[in-house]
Amino acid sequence: GMAFGTATVVTNGGKAIAAKRHIGSTPSQAEPLYIGMGVGATGAARTAAAADTALSSAVESRVAGTSSNVTVTNTNDAYQVIGTITATATRAVDEAGTFDASTSGNMDISATFAVVNLASGDSIQFTFKKQFT
């Protein structure tokens, strides 16, 4: 889980991404390493759901995160992406997600959380972990 009482889910599209990445020595499925953030999710009493395909209201450009395999319970049982997004204006951020493209694309992980207020120029670092259990 993440801080702030986060609701985090691997989306239906994210399950398909994981399955497709298993095919071939060079999978045609792109790695879901792009991180986006949004506003307006919890204000509408929205919680991350498996059916999510996009953020409620994306702000800023997605960033390419740094990915790795990490250990949660068993050796290398999780895919992790870490990335930092800088606000270009005052933002009340309450959602974020990972995607397989820098724009558009498929949502892998959807997360909603208590508002984090950012001033213009403030940055927020996101860490996503997809554990295979």
Side-chain angles (χ1 to χ4, degrees), residues 34-105:
Y34 296 94
I35 299 172
M37 72 179 186
V39 299
T42 58
R46 182 185 165 279
T47 299
D52 290 347
T53 59
L55 297 170
S56 297
S57 182
V59 294
E60 312 308 341
S61 296
R62 293 180 191 164
V63 299
T66 300
S67 63
S68 61
N69 286 113
V70 297
T71 299
V72 177
T73 305
N74 299 300
T75 303
N76 293 324
D77 64 349
Y79 170 77
Q80 176 176 277
V81 179
I82 298 174
T84 301
I85 300 176
T86 302
T88 59
T90 300
R91 305 286 190 204
V93 179
D94 59 4
E95 62 178 348
T98 57
F99 300 84
D100 65 0
S102 60
T103 60
S104 189

Side-chain angles (χ1 to χ4, degrees), residues 12-29:
N12 296 333
K15 292 172 186 171
I17 287 170
K20 290 181 195 175
R21 294 276 301 168
H22 286 283
I23 305 298
S25 58
T26 53
S28 59
Q29 171 61 56

